[in-house]
């Protein structure tokens, strides 16, 4: 793949257009459309833009942060101005994480095409880089930032500034020593190759060299036998070590000479340990590897609450984009709050609040387009229905016509099920979760739910706030459920929860209940074993308290501990709770379904409060030596600011497993801090445990600042010497930012 520089050199026409710059309209709404001057910078990866009135003020973003370019009217904003701007002038840049889209309008179709093609080439270039190219790129970026006078050389003063920018406060004498070592030409300045040498000296991994030399007899290479010993003894790979050792040499060793000798150099060893194979999360667990033929109730299902919201639930924006983001993250259960709208068209928004409204029709169109792009397994459409019978009929018609064959309308084999079908059986299907008149069996009597309020959430979704809008003056009218909408409900019939005993005696497998977080937590605490049994047969959905007006989240772990499948979170809100959700669902191909442990699927008596009573119970010791950090992100962007990092390891699982321990903090070094501290934990239910690594900037006067985190299911951890590739608060990767750890897992022979 050509680099941006080589594309420039070849005279790539699209990149030349971008480099020359263009006046593009930035569109935020029908009434907010402003000209901005955009141009691609010399590095070929940064786009710079400013308004013509902004003086020296400008903004930039990296092309690496752009996930995809949509062409034409493929966003709500551009659709709203479709009459004013033809589709061939319009395009949308969609960013990774939770950052909003950038909607742009070019002055001519050819200019729009040049930018669309150019950005796509640069995205493809960024995604196809290997590790070495990524590091080279990183070095080049730092060189560009530090070369203040742009003469292609760096004097010692510029290098001192660079070190602070890179998050390291180095003794001036030592910095000068490194500078002199790299300045081979003795010119008092570092040119390009000399700067690369300086970077290599700066980033030399003494921590990794020590590990290497423990197994290398000559200190220069690892023979095939020595590498096999390392894989067996440290990485706990067992029988496949011989074969894997050869594979690693073939894959990561850069020296052809070493390859021919069947050996690995320190460079190859380092490349292996920073690769996905050397990561703490076993790459084999990242692929689809679980049995997908079990009943739906046997899986945890990635779920979103108030999916239409981009922000908070009082004044936030409702948007189809929120559904796209949730589905892209692997959500397999999304929520739609429906209310009567004008012109006989149902609308979606958070009732009795100032959140904006979108058409139900548009939500379903978006669902039809994006439901199966990230995963082929079924999507559950959780309907929070506040509509009149007339508009419910409109909803049923829209679901039917827009979704077509994707919408499940009847049981798969035409029979009343004794257990729920599997995700495999329901591939490519959208299931409606709502109230239903009667059941799947024609002989079933009509229940009084046909005349209940059709919304199935027992707790109010928003606080009592009559002054929020005129609509709040009208209490929800009890309304009947339309037969047309009822007939579309098959395996997810919403019913009121009476008790576990009632459910065991009377409930059908396709009936499911919704619980507020407080009700679910109380049931989990008081009757955990019964809740686990209930959830082995039927689906349960848990939703956040209506008092969470800021769209904050509750900890989902307590509910997973009793087998609740649909633990719905506000996916638009970053933080610990979403880190846990992302961590749990990072396994099994990110398909949105994770098979529950076998003791939650069968008739075992599992009590999360007393895990040691379970048959076959064994506790494990988890020992984590936090060795070092590499290129940790800056928190404060002020030039002289440098972090004081510490690492905290947090365990989430059953109550006996909840634990936190942290290292000491390192003064003024976010570039290559060294801890060498060991943290120990006892894990009673490894199948439910999540391990979260958090890096913070220590502050004795106030709360520590978050720097990065990574959350991994305990059962997906690779033991041995591993790198943890840190994620931002938003869940996106922080380039080259890692922790180096040594993980040991062993059985506890006597209770500690």
């Amino acid at each position: 793949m050509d680099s941006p520089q080589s594309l420039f050199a070849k005279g790539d026409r699209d990149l030349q257009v971008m480099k020359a710059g263009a006046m593009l309209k930035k569109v935020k709404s029908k009434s907010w459309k402003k000209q901005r001057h955009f141009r691609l910078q010399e590095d070929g990866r940064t786009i710079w833009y400013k308004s013509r009135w902004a003086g020296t003020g400008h903004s930039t973003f990296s092309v690496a942060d752009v996930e995809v370019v949509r062409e034409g009217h493929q966003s709500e904003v551009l659709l709203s101005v479709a009459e004013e701007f033809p589709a061939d002038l319009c395009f949308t840049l969609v960013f990774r994480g939770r950052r909003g889209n950038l909607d742009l309008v070019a002055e001519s179709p050819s200019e729009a095409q040049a930018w669309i093609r150019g950005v796509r080439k640069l995205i493809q270039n960024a995604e196809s880089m290997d590790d070495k190219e990524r590091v080279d790129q990183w070095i080049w970026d730092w060189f560009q930032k530090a070369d203040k006078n742009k003469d292609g050389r760096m004097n010692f003063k510029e290098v001192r500034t660079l070190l602070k920018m890179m998050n390291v406060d180095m003794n001036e004498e030592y910095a000068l020593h490194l500078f002199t070592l790299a300045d081979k030409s003795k010119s008092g300045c570092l040119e390009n190759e000399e700067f690369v040498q300086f970077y290599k000296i700066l980033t030399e991994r003494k921590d990794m060299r020590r590990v290497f030399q423990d197994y290398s007899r000559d200190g220069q290479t690892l023979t095939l036998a020595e590498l096999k010993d390392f894989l067996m003894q440290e990485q706990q790979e067992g029988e496949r070590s011989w074969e894997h050792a050869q594979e690693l040499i073939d894959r990561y060793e850069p020296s052809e000479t070493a390859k021919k000798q069947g050996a690995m150099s320190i460079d190859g060893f380092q490349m292996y340990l920073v690769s996905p194979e050397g990561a703490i999360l076993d790459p084999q667990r990242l692929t689809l590897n679980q049995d997908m033929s079990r009943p739906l109730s046997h899986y945890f299902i990635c779920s979103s609450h108030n999916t239409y919201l981009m922000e908070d639930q009082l004044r936030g924006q409702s948007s189809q984009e929120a559904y796209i983001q949730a589905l892209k993250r692997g959500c397999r259960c999304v929520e739609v709050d429906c209310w009567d709208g004008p012109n006989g068209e149902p609308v979606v928004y958070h009732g009795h609040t100032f959140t904006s409204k979108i058409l139900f029709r548009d939500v379903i169109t978006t669902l039809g387009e994006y439901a199966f792009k990230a995963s082929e397994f079924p999507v559950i459409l959780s309907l929070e229905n506040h509509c009149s019978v007339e508009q419910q009929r409109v909803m049923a018609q829209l679901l039917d016509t827009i979704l077509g064959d994707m919408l499940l309308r009847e049981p798969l084999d035409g029979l009343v099920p004794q257990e729920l079908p599997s995700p495999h059986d329901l591939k490519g299907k959208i299931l409606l979760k709502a109230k239903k008149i009667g059941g799947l069996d024609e002989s079933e009597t009509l229940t009084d739910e046909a005349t209940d309020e059709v919304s199935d959430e027992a707790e109010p979704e928003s606080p009592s706030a009559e002054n929020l809008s005129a609509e709040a003056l009208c209490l929800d009218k009890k309304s009947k459920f339309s037969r047309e909408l009822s007939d579309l409900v098959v395996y997810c019939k919403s019913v009121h929860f009476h008790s576990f005993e009632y459910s065991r005696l009377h409930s059908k497998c396709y009936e499911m209940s919704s619980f507020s977080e407080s009700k679910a937590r109380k049931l989990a605490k008081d009757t955990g074993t019964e809740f686990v049994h209930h959830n082995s047969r039927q689906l349960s959905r848990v939703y956040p308290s209506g008092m969470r007006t800021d769209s904050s989240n509750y900890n989902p772990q307590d509910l997973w501990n009793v087998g609740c499948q649909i633990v719905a979170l506000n996916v638009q809100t970053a933080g610990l709770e979403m880190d846990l959700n992302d961590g749990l669902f990072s396994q099994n191909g990110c398909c949105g379904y994770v098979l529950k442990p076998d003791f939650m699927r069968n008739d075992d008596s599992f009590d999360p409060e007393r895990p040691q009573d379970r048959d076959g119970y064994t506790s494990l010791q988890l020992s984590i030596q936090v060795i070092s950090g590499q290129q940790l992100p800056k928190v404060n962007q002020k030039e002289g600011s440098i972090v004081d990092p510490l690492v905290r390891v947090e365990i989430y699982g059953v109550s006996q497993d909840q634990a936190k321990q942290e290292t000491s903090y390192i003064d003024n070094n976010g570039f290559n801090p060294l801890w060498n501290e060991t943290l120990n934990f006892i894990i009673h239910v490894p199948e439910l445990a999540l391990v979260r690594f958090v890096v913070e900037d220590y502050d004795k006067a106030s709360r520590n600042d978050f720097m990065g985190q990574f959350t991994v299911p305990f059962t997906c951890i690779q033991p041995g010497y591993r790198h943890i590739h840190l994620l931002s608060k938003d869940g996106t990767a922080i380039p080259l930012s890692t922790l180096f750890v040594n993980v040991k897992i062993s059985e506890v022979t006597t209770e500690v």
Side-chain angles (χ1 to χ4, degrees):
M1 181 73 199
D2 291 328
S3 69
Q5 277 69 34
S6 64
L7 287 169
F8 279 145
K10 288 177 183 175
D12 183 282
R13 194 169 294 173
D14 297 326
L15 266 58
Q16 295 295 345
V17 168
M18 292 175 69
K19 199 173 161 190
M23 293 303 293
L24 303 173
K25 269 197 178 67
K26 182 178 172 184
V27 185
K28 285 189 178 178
S29 67
K30 258 185 169 178
S31 56
W32 198 103
K33 303 176 285 257
K34 297 193 177 173
Q35 290 274 12
R36 295 285 183 265
H37 185 243
F38 284 79
R39 75 162 183 262
L40 178 65
Q41 296 196 293
E42 289 294 329
D43 63 5
R45 283 170 316 284
T46 309
I47 291 175
W48 173 101
Y49 65 99
K50 65 174 284 187
S51 82
R52 81 178 60 157
W53 316 116
T56 55
H58 66 273
S59 301
T60 61
F61 61 86
S62 170
V63 175
D65 294 335
V66 181
E67 187 172 2
V68 73
V69 186
R70 293 193 205 138
E71 208 168 331
H73 298 142
Q74 284 199 64
S75 76
E76 286 167 273
V77 169
L78 291 177
L79 273 169
S80 73
V81 294
E83 289 181 14
E84 190 177 349
F85 303 113
D88 59 6
L89 299 180
C90 299
F91 60 100
T92 302
L93 303 185
V94 180
F95 291 91
R96 299 177 195 281
R98 292 174 174 82
R99 181 173 172 177
N101 295 346
L102 185 56
D103 291 298
L104 299 169
V105 180
E107 292 184 339
S108 70
S110 61
E111 188 174 66
Q113 278 303 311
W115 277 81
I116 290 164
R117 287 192 303 259
V119 174
R120 282 176 178 164
K121 281 176 205 170
L122 294 173
I123 292 170
Q124 191 183 355
N125 172 267
E127 287 174 349
S128 62
M129 277 186 193
D130 62 25
D131 288 338
K132 184 182 180 307
E133 288 170 326
R134 229 168 241 122
V135 171
D136 290 347
Q137 192 64 69
W138 201 78
I139 297 170
W140 170 251
D141 287 348
W142 279 119
F143 187 86
Q144 294 287 95
K145 282 178 194 167
D147 183 15
K148 297 286 187 189
N149 58 8
K150 303 298 172 200
D151 63 353
R153 309 163 76 209
M154 242 194 295
N155 59 36
F156 183 62
K157 187 182 174 191
E158 287 175 318
V159 165
R160 289 288 290 150
T161 306
L162 169 72
L163 289 172
K164 284 205 163 67
M165 288 163 70
M166 291 171 106
N167 228 342
V168 58
D169 188 13
M170 190 180 286
N171 169 288
E172 184 156 354
E173 196 177 319
Y174 183 58
L176 184 57
H177 169 66
L178 296 188
F179 180 88
T180 308
L181 281 177
D183 182 16
K184 301 286 187 196
S185 63
K186 310 293 181 202
S187 65
C189 284
L190 301 184
E191 299 198 13
N192 212 331
E193 288 308 310
E194 291 173 328
F195 178 69
V196 171
Q197 189 58 32
F198 173 76
Y199 174 82
K200 283 186 173 166
I201 299 169
L202 195 63
T203 55
E204 189 188 352
R205 294 285 302 275
K206 289 176 184 164
D207 53 351
M208 224 187 283
R209 185 173 284 279
R210 271 194 288 274
V211 177
F212 180 83
Q213 289 177 335
D214 282 346
Y215 284 86
S216 168
R217 230 176 250 102
D218 65 4
Q220 299 303 307
T221 58
L222 289 172
T223 64
L224 190 62
E226 288 166 347
L227 180 56
K228 183 211 66 138
D229 286 347
F230 170 77
L231 294 174
M232 278 189 77
Q233 291 172 38
E234 300 294 349
Q235 311 299 75
Q236 297 182 27
E237 291 201 356
E239 293 304 311
R240 68 184 289 259
S241 302
W242 270 115
E243 182 188 338
H244 195 213
Q246 187 59 59
E247 284 172 5
L248 293 179
I249 290 169
D250 293 341
R251 197 169 300 142
Y252 298 110
E253 179 49 53
S255 161
E256 288 301 323
T257 310
K259 257 189 197 173
K260 281 175 188 161
Q261 293 169 349
M264 180 177 266
S265 67
I266 181 68
D267 289 341
F269 187 67
Q270 189 162 326
M271 284 174 75
Y272 150 57
L273 280 177
V274 297
S275 76
E277 285 187 87
I280 194 164
L281 174 53
D282 184 349
Q284 293 183 5
R285 303 299 292 268
L286 288 169
T287 58
L288 189 66
N289 61 82
Q290 296 181 352
D291 178 2
M292 303 305 288
S293 63
R294 312 285 308 176
L296 276 184
S297 55
H298 288 187
Y299 297 83
F300 296 120
I301 302 171
C302 188
S303 306
S304 163
H305 176 65
N306 288 349
T307 314
Y308 46 88
L309 288 177
M310 296 290 281
E311 300 155 47
D312 70 80
Q313 60 188 50
L314 279 186
R315 298 169 182 274
Q317 180 193 358
S318 301
S319 170
Q320 292 134 255
E321 199 61 46
Y323 285 93
I324 297 171
Q325 297 293 342
L327 291 164
K328 277 196 320 197
R329 290 180 83 98
C331 281
R332 298 288 86 193
C333 179
V334 296
E335 186 182 25
V336 185
D337 281 17
C338 306
W339 300 79
D340 281 357
N343 308 316
E345 281 258 12
V347 292
V348 174
Y349 81 114
H350 202 265
H352 312 320
T353 67
F354 291 128
T355 59
S356 60
K357 297 173 181 161
I358 49 178
L359 289 175
F360 178 78
R361 171 196 302 275
D362 292 340
V363 169
I364 302 308
T365 301
T366 300
L367 183 63
E369 188 175 346
Y370 287 92
F372 303 107
K373 288 198 170 177
S375 169
E376 60 187 347
F377 295 108
V379 171
I380 297 169
L381 180 59
S382 181
L383 206 59
E384 183 66 15
N385 178 6
H386 304 271
C387 289
S388 62
V389 173
E390 292 73 30
Q391 293 213 8
Q392 287 178 52
R393 290 192 184 111
V394 175
M395 285 160 61
Q397 185 187 2
L398 290 169
L399 286 163
D400 186 64
T401 54
I402 294 170
L403 297 180
D405 291 342
M406 282 186 278
L407 183 66
L408 189 80
R409 296 174 174 80
E410 55 191 26
L412 292 178
D413 51 11
L415 302 172
V416 178
Q418 297 309 301
E419 66 175 18
L420 287 166
S422 71
H424 180 272
D425 294 335
L426 293 165
K427 271 185 189 175
K429 291 296 181 187
I430 294 172
L431 281 58
L432 189 63
K433 174 200 161 291
K435 295 278 187 183
K436 184 173 180 68
I437 302 168
L440 294 179
D441 188 341
E442 289 304 316
S443 65
E444 286 184 59
T445 57
L446 298 189
T447 66
D448 62 353
E449 282 144 15
T451 55
D452 275 351
E453 183 183 330
V454 288
S455 165
D456 72 331
E457 294 194 356
E459 181 176 283
E461 272 291 272
S462 50
S464 173
E466 282 78 11
N467 57 341
L468 286 176
S469 70
E471 284 167 297
L473 298 173
C474 303
L475 293 173
D476 291 341
K477 292 177 182 173
K478 287 187 181 279
S479 65
K480 292 186 177 176
F481 204 38
S482 89
R483 169 63 74 176
E484 293 85 347
L485 200 54
S486 168
D487 286 348
L488 299 179
V489 177
V490 183
Y491 294 122
C492 298
K493 175 186 175 181
S494 294
V495 298
H496 176 70
F497 176 77
H498 298 282
S499 69
F500 290 128
E501 185 182 14
Y502 180 90
S503 295
R504 192 171 61 253
L505 296 173
H506 303 290
S507 293
K508 308 289 190 294
C509 66
Y510 56 82
E511 294 178 333
M512 61 179 290
S513 302
S514 287
F515 303 88
S516 69
E517 60 175 279
S518 52
K519 176 73 182 284
R521 266 214 198 92
K522 187 170 187 327
L523 288 170
K525 194 169 186 309
D526 297 345
T527 49
T529 305
E530 289 182 76
F531 214 163
V532 172
H533 271 299
H534 175 86
N535 287 327
S536 68
R537 302 184 307 272
Q538 290 176 259
L539 292 173
S540 291
R541 175 176 172 270
V542 183
Y543 58 91
S545 157
M547 302 307 290
R548 293 181 180 274
T549 54
D550 57 353
S551 291
S552 60
N553 283 309
Y554 55 94
N555 189 321
Q557 186 71 50
D558 301 336
L559 293 318
W560 292 329
N561 289 344
V562 289
C564 293
Q565 302 86 353
I566 301 175
V567 181
L569 298 177
N570 291 298
V571 299
Q572 75 274 26
T573 307
L576 160 68
E577 298 79 14
M578 274 310 297
D579 293 344
L580 297 179
N581 196 76
D582 290 345
L584 176 66
F585 291 104
S586 62
Q587 61 185 309
N588 203 29
C590 295
C591 74
Y593 285 83
V594 168
L595 190 62
K596 294 197 280 189
D598 57 358
F599 55 79
M600 299 185 111
R601 296 185 264 127
N602 52 32
D603 291 329
D604 286 1
S605 283
F606 172 67
D607 181 354
E609 294 300 314
R610 293 194 54 77
Q612 60 272 27
D613 294 349
R614 174 168 60 92
D615 288 346
Y617 161 79
T618 309
S619 59
L620 297 175
Q621 174 156 327
L622 171 65
S623 175
I624 297 169
Q625 182 191 12
V626 180
I627 302 170
S628 62
Q630 294 75 43
Q631 282 97 293
L632 302 178
K634 280 177 88 84
V635 175
N636 189 330
Q637 291 306 317
K638 286 178 188 165
E639 206 162 88
S641 155
I642 295 166
V643 297
D644 305 320
L646 63 82
V647 177
R648 187 168 56 255
V649 178
E650 304 172 346
I651 311 293
Y652 295 88
V654 297
S655 56
Q656 286 183 41
D657 287 343
Q658 308 277 1
K660 294 180 185 181
Q661 289 182 45
E662 63 186 38
T663 66
S664 53
Y665 66 90
I666 305 291
D667 271 323
N668 283 336
N669 187 355
F671 187 71
N672 54 2
L674 202 62
W675 287 279
N676 278 322
E677 294 181 37
T678 301
L679 312 175
N680 291 301
F681 303 90
I682 301 295
I683 311 292
H684 298 85
V685 188
E687 299 89 341
L688 289 173
L690 292 167
V691 184
R692 183 173 183 250
F693 296 84
V694 191
V695 186
E696 289 181 347
D697 179 16
Y698 173 76
D699 191 326
K700 62 172 176 268
S702 62
R703 194 173 174 182
N704 293 349
D705 287 317
F706 173 90
M707 292 171 65
Q709 70 84 32
F710 189 78
T711 304
V712 57
F714 180 88
T715 54
C716 297
I717 286 177
Q718 295 198 99
Y721 285 96
R722 302 293 173 188
H723 278 90
I724 295 164
H725 297 264
L726 294 172
L727 304 175
S728 69
K729 191 172 184 181
D730 216 21
T732 55
I734 308 171
L736 303 183
S737 189
T738 55
L739 296 176
F740 186 43
V741 298
N742 186 11
V743 180
K744 288 187 166 67
I745 298 169
S746 55
E747 282 194 14
V748 177
T749 46
T750 55
E751 199 60 42
V752 176

